[in-house]
Amino acid sequence: MTSLILLAAERESAEVTDWAARIGWVVGLALFVALVYWLMREGWKWRGTLQSDLSALHSAPDDPGPATLTMSGRYHGSTTAGQWLDRIVAHGLGTRSRAELTLGDAGLDVTRPGAEDFFIPADALREARLDKGIAGKVLTEGGLLVITWQHGDRLIDSGFRSDHAAEHTEWVDALTNMINKTEGAR
């Protein structure tokens, strides 16, 4: 009987949660996450400062002529040509958004709701190809339409994905034909 009393006396109640320590850890984690996001934002702004030599983007002409092709999809960003991880953020080129592309004789008009629109003149187009990735977005092989264009002294790759990926090949063919015509006229 005494052993039962001793066993009962040795039992302790469950550990009580230390709320001060738990709140301290949660606050510390929240501050760490906020610091990481702030550093990422500062890095983005610094990249924009480094790319401030990029001249302002062209806007669409008043009369661009008839549309050869149109496409609805997403704009995934722009990079330095040939360097798919060197994102360009100046003038809003780093902002992913929905996009409406219109190809005409004057060039390529990129309309982006919620972001800055831009226009690529026909004589600035250099190449069109299907690829699998650009900074911040990797897809299956051929899932991304990448257009290389000249802006000032810089070659830029811009990545687009149509809502209907089957359109990409038609776009590559049309852009390549336009580039070949423009190069023949130079």
Side-chain angles (χ1 to χ4, degrees), residues 81-94:
Q83 298 177 15
W84 73 284
L85 290 176
D86 185 22
R87 183 187 298 261
I88 296 176
V89 301
H91 304 297
L93 287 176

Side-chain angles (χ1 to χ4, degrees), residues 56-117:
L57 300 174
H58 299 285
S59 56
D62 294 331
D63 184 24
T68 307
L69 280 175
T70 59
M71 179 174 79
S72 215
R74 286 201 64 78
Y75 168 76
H76 286 289
S78 292
T79 62
T80 301
Q83 298 177 15
W84 73 284
L85 290 176
D86 185 22
R87 183 187 298 261
I88 296 176
V89 301
H91 304 297
L93 287 176
T95 305
R96 289 177 57 176
S97 62
R98 293 283 307 157
E100 298 289 329
L101 274 64
T102 306
L103 181 65
D105 292 336
L108 179 66
D109 184 24
V110 181
T111 305
R112 302 186 305 152
E116 187 176 341
D117 301 340

Side-chain angles (χ1 to χ4, degrees), residues 16-33:
V16 177
T17 303
D18 184 2
W19 286 105
R22 185 168 289 190
I23 290 171
W25 277 103
V26 169
V27 169
L29 182 61
L31 288 173
F32 176 74
V33 169

Side-chain angles (χ1 to χ4, degrees), residues 2-184:
T2 32
S3 61
L4 285 174
I5 294 174
L6 288 175
L7 283 175
E10 288 180 16
R11 289 192 182 173
E12 294 180 18
S13 60
E15 193 73 28
V16 177
T17 303
D18 184 2
W19 286 105
R22 185 168 289 190
I23 290 171
W25 277 103
V26 169
V27 169
L29 182 61
L31 288 173
F32 176 74
V33 169
L35 173 68
V36 168
Y37 278 114
W38 179 78
L39 288 172
M40 289 170 48
R41 182 173 172 260
E42 290 301 307
W44 188 269
K45 287 176 20 182
W46 177 248
R47 181 171 280 277
T49 302
L50 291 176
Q51 297 169 350
S52 62
D53 63 330
L54 189 68
S55 59
L57 300 174
H58 299 285
S59 56
D62 294 331
D63 184 24
T68 307
L69 280 175
T70 59
M71 179 174 79
S72 215
R74 286 201 64 78
Y75 168 76
H76 286 289
S78 292
T79 62
T80 301
Q83 298 177 15
W84 73 284
L85 290 176
D86 185 22
R87 183 187 298 261
I88 296 176
V89 301
H91 304 297
L93 287 176
T95 305
R96 289 177 57 176
S97 62
R98 293 283 307 157
E100 298 289 329
L101 274 64
T102 306
L103 181 65
D105 292 336
L108 179 66
D109 184 24
V110 181
T111 305
R112 302 186 305 152
E116 187 176 341
D117 301 340
F118 60 96
F119 180 77
I120 305 171
D123 62 347
L125 293 167
R126 296 294 181 258
E127 180 188 8
R129 68 182 185 281
L130 297 179
D131 213 331
K132 65 180 178 180
I134 199 159
K137 188 67 174 179
V138 177
L139 299 163
T140 59
E141 191 66 45
L144 195 66
L145 170 65
V146 177
I147 300 171
T148 304
W149 51 290
Q150 180 91 33
H151 186 65
D153 60 349
R154 190 176 290 189
L155 275 178
I156 298 173
D157 282 342
S158 293
F160 303 93
R161 176 144 174 98
S162 173
D163 290 337
H164 309 284
E167 296 177 332
H168 289 173
T169 305
E170 182 181 9
W171 272 82
V172 169
D173 294 342
L175 285 162
T176 301
N177 288 336
M178 178 181 273
I179 292 165
N180 290 338
K181 283 181 193 175
T182 306
E183 285 179 354

